[in-house]
Amino acid sequence: MSEPILTIVVPCYNEEEMLPYTVVELKGLIDEMVREGEISRQSKILFVDDGSKDDTWKMIYKETIKNEYVRGLKLARNVGHQNALLAGLFTAKDMSDCIISIDADLQDDIAVIKEFVRKFKEGYDIVYGVRNKRETDTFFKRSTAQVFYKMMKVMGVDLVYNHADFRLMSKRAVEKLERFKETNMFLRGVVPLIGFTTTSVYYDRKERLAGTTKYPLKKMLSFAFDGITSFSIQPIRFVLFVGLASFFGSLVFALYFLSLKIFGDTELGWTSLITSIWLIGGLQLIAVGLVGEYIGKIYKEVKHRPKYIIDIDAFNVPMSIHKSESDKEFSLEHRALLESN
Ligand code: UDP
Ligand code: MG
């Protein structure tokens, strides 16, 4: 087999502080690997700008002009980490033999990318990057992540422990991934469903060099909740179970209250009554809410909305003026950028 074409997909959301380091590091790595004859010269780093509000896209765009290894993809708006990643994977697959996804903050050790490629050459279709330890993460992040994995396990979702979205996928694995049509794509859960031969490579996770986490608590919680509800119906079963338990529980209580009445002690308080009303009311609301959550998911799925829309695919600029979804979107600003270089 001749050297494989590798594409490294990097989703970026407001990463202007981090990007200069990321570009240098990844470029250096690609250079080295090409020199060592590990990968093809046609290998690329594909930066996906997920509708950033800062200068992320400008920086990416300039790099595509300066550097033959850099390709830029600008999404029409912010669609979130997972969808940005998908945009990158599906765009990259046509021109690569294997694709690696990594976060822009390079918290994941890029040194193991060589190991990924070695495993790919050995015949693995999917290689997971797994963190050895998470000492550099805050205690909070570490423990919430821990709870998340435990919960997913209880819910019966098969996740690779301590693996985030740092992985290599072969072209055919990404092609198969494209056949998963769900809108709520939770990659860590879906990728193991593809099958093929897989393996893991271990590394130490580092600190974010610059910029801040794009996953504040709110996003983290919604990510975890989405992860659970797109993969498991255990929560609904649990609600049903609680509902049944409280129903039978209240039957026992009713018998007890009845017996109190029959045996003369009728000083039954208002408290017990009001408590049970609140209790049952609460349970019902939880149940309805959860069912609603799943119905919402179904609603989203049946619409089959596109997961992302590509605005600009900056590729081999300026040798070939890249195509945009519509010519209008290839705005004056980008032309000016191109000319200024
Ligand atoms: N990201 C993105 N879209 C978003 C949020 C984040 O593309 O809406 C990217 C972000 O730029 C980074 C990666 O997803 O490359 C992971 O984000 P971050 O490092 O902030 O998350 P953490 O490592 O703190 O979980
Ligand atoms: Mg990070």
Side-chain angles (χ1 to χ4, degrees):
M1 185 164 110
S2 62
E3 303 86 53
I5 303 174
L6 166 72
T7 300
I8 303 178
V9 171
V10 191
C12 306
Y13 177 59
N14 294 345
E15 295 283 7
E16 62 178 7
E17 286 164 78
M18 195 57 220
L19 261 179
Y21 301 98
T22 312
V23 170
V24 170
E25 292 279 316
L26 289 178
K27 219 163 72 181
L29 181 79
I30 294 258
D31 264 335
E32 196 180 314
M33 289 176 78
V34 169
R35 246 186 293 120
E36 289 168 357
E38 290 291 323
I39 53 172
S40 154
R41 281 198 71 86
Q42 287 155 316
S43 296
K44 291 265 180 289
I45 311 162
L46 174 59
F47 290 102
V48 183
D49 172 33
D50 185 15
S52 298
K53 292 180 182 64
D54 62 4
D55 278 343
T56 300
W57 173 246
K58 267 191 195 158
M59 294 168 87
I60 295 173
Y61 196 77
K62 279 189 179 157
E63 284 304 324
T64 65
I65 297 168
K66 283 194 293 197
N67 192 321
E68 59 163 325
Y69 291 134
V70 177
R71 177 177 181 182
L73 201 65
K74 183 182 193 296
L75 300 187
R77 69 175 179 89
N78 179 255
V79 289
H81 180 204
Q82 299 287 295
N83 288 328
L85 214 63
L86 287 175
L89 292 178
F90 296 153
T91 305
K93 75 163 197 318
D94 297 329
M95 273 179 258
S96 345
D97 299 312
C98 56
I99 301 152
I100 291 175
S101 50
I102 188 167
D103 289 351
D105 55 15
L106 297 190
Q107 281 184 285
D108 306 302
D109 188 4
I110 63 166
V112 300
I113 285 180
K114 286 186 178 176
E115 184 68 24
F116 277 13
V117 174
R118 264 196 295 277
K119 294 282 180 199
F120 169 71
K121 286 177 176 168
E122 280 170 28
Y124 291 100
D125 274 282
I126 299 170
V127 187
Y128 297 106
V130 177
R131 295 169 207 163
N132 270 331
K133 51 183 182 188
R134 306 183 58 138
E135 271 149 28
T136 51
D137 275 346
T138 59
F139 172 74
F140 177 72
K141 181 117 193 171
R142 223 164 46 211
S143 35
T144 47
Q146 204 87 332
V147 171
F148 175 65
Y149 284 109
K150 293 264 158 65
M151 256 171 86
M152 291 300 269
K153 190 151 195 126
V154 171
M155 305 280 175
V157 185
D158 184 20
L159 288 186
V160 179
Y161 191 67
N162 264 348
H163 158 71
D165 285 305
F166 184 33
R167 74 175 81 79
L168 176 143
M169 292 176 80
S170 66
K171 184 192 182 86
R172 65 169 188 159
V174 175
E175 279 166 359
K176 299 299 177 279
L177 179 69
E178 213 168 9
R179 288 175 40 196
F180 287 76
K181 291 294 180 200
E182 58 221 79
T183 306
N184 293 288
M185 181 79 93
F186 180 62
L187 273 168
R188 285 178 225 181
V190 172
V191 172
L193 296 181
I194 298 174
F196 292 141
T197 46
T198 63
T199 186
S200 298
V201 168
Y202 295 84
Y203 67 97
D204 296 333
R205 186 153 157 107
K206 292 183 282 194
E207 249 166 282
R208 201 182 228 283
L209 269 176
T212 48
T213 172
K214 308 296 179 290
Y215 269 102
L217 181 62
K218 198 172 139 227
K219 264 196 186 170
M220 250 164 67
L221 286 178
S222 96
F223 181 68
F225 198 65
D226 266 354
I228 292 166
T229 51
S230 4
F231 261 88
S232 162
I233 56 161
Q234 291 298 338
I236 273 191
R237 298 227 175 101
F238 178 71
V239 165
L240 188 68
F241 178 76
V242 172
L244 284 173
S246 77
F247 175 70
F248 287 113
S250 62
L251 280 187
V252 175
F253 264 104
L255 282 180
Y256 171 64
F257 290 139
L258 213 64
S259 72
L260 281 185
K261 198 177 172 69
I262 290 166
F263 297 113
D265 197 356
T266 44
E267 278 296 281
L268 278 181
W270 169 84
T271 330
S272 57
L273 201 67
I274 202 76
T275 330
S276 44
I277 288 174
W278 277 95
L279 187 79
I280 302 299
L283 283 174
Q284 279 175 339
L285 281 182
I286 293 172
V288 170
L290 254 176
V291 171
E293 183 65 29
Y294 282 94
I295 292 179
K297 286 250 144 76
I298 296 168
Y299 175 64
K300 278 191 191 162
E301 295 298 340
V302 296
K303 277 193 294 205
H304 276 298
R305 286 203 174 145
K307 290 190 264 285
Y308 56 84
I309 288 167
I310 293 170
D311 181 355
I312 297 169
D313 185 355
F315 186 45
N316 274 350
V317 179
M319 280 76 84
S320 66
I321 293 296
H322 51 257
K323 290 191 195 73
S324 149
E325 284 268 300
S326 80
D327 274 335
K328 245 184 288 160
E329 273 159 326
F330 183 56
S331 63
L332 290 174
E333 193 190 342
H334 298 120
R335 242 174 236 287
L337 246 175
L338 192 74
E339 274 148 23
S340 74
N341 270 272

